[in-house]
Amino acid sequence: DALSAGVNDGGVAFSAAVLFQIVTLPVEFNASRRAVRVLETSGMLCPDEIGAVKKVLGAAALTYVASAASMILQLLRLMIIGGRRDDD
């Protein structure tokens, strides 16, 4: 029926979003590393500020990990609930 088709299409779209999130994780970590390198070599920061910048940019990159983990868990939950649905 139309509702089931919509749910399946939504699941496929959400799965694609999860895959995209996972694929972009290395890009985010690389961007943080490059930003630290640019800030170190450009003289924009004092040498004693570099450690704090690395921590902040590392934490920013980890927000993408948390988001990906959340999406993966949501996808698993939808798969489990979808398997238990009653069609009365």
Side-chain angles (χ1 to χ4, degrees):
D1 88 342
L3 180 60
S4 295
V7 170
N8 288 339
D9 291 345
V12 170
F14 192 75
S15 297
V18 170
L19 180 62
F20 179 79
Q21 190 87 359
I22 292 168
V23 169
T24 59
L25 284 175
V27 174
E28 297 301 334
F29 280 102
N30 185 37
S32 293
R33 280 192 296 274
R34 288 183 311 160
V36 168
R37 191 175 343 120
V38 167
L39 291 170
E40 281 180 317
T41 60
S42 69
M44 294 174 67
L45 299 173
C46 298
D48 60 332
E49 295 175 316
I50 298 297
V53 167
K54 286 180 180 180
K55 284 182 183 180
V56 169
L57 289 176
L62 287 176
T63 62
Y64 290 93
V65 174
S67 177
S70 174
M71 289 181 75
I72 290 167
L73 291 173
Q74 181 71 10
L75 181 61
L76 290 173
R77 185 180 77 82
L78 291 172
M79 290 169 62
I80 290 169
I81 288 173
R84 288 194 205 163
R85 239 178 53 175
D86 291 332
D87 291 344
D88 290 327

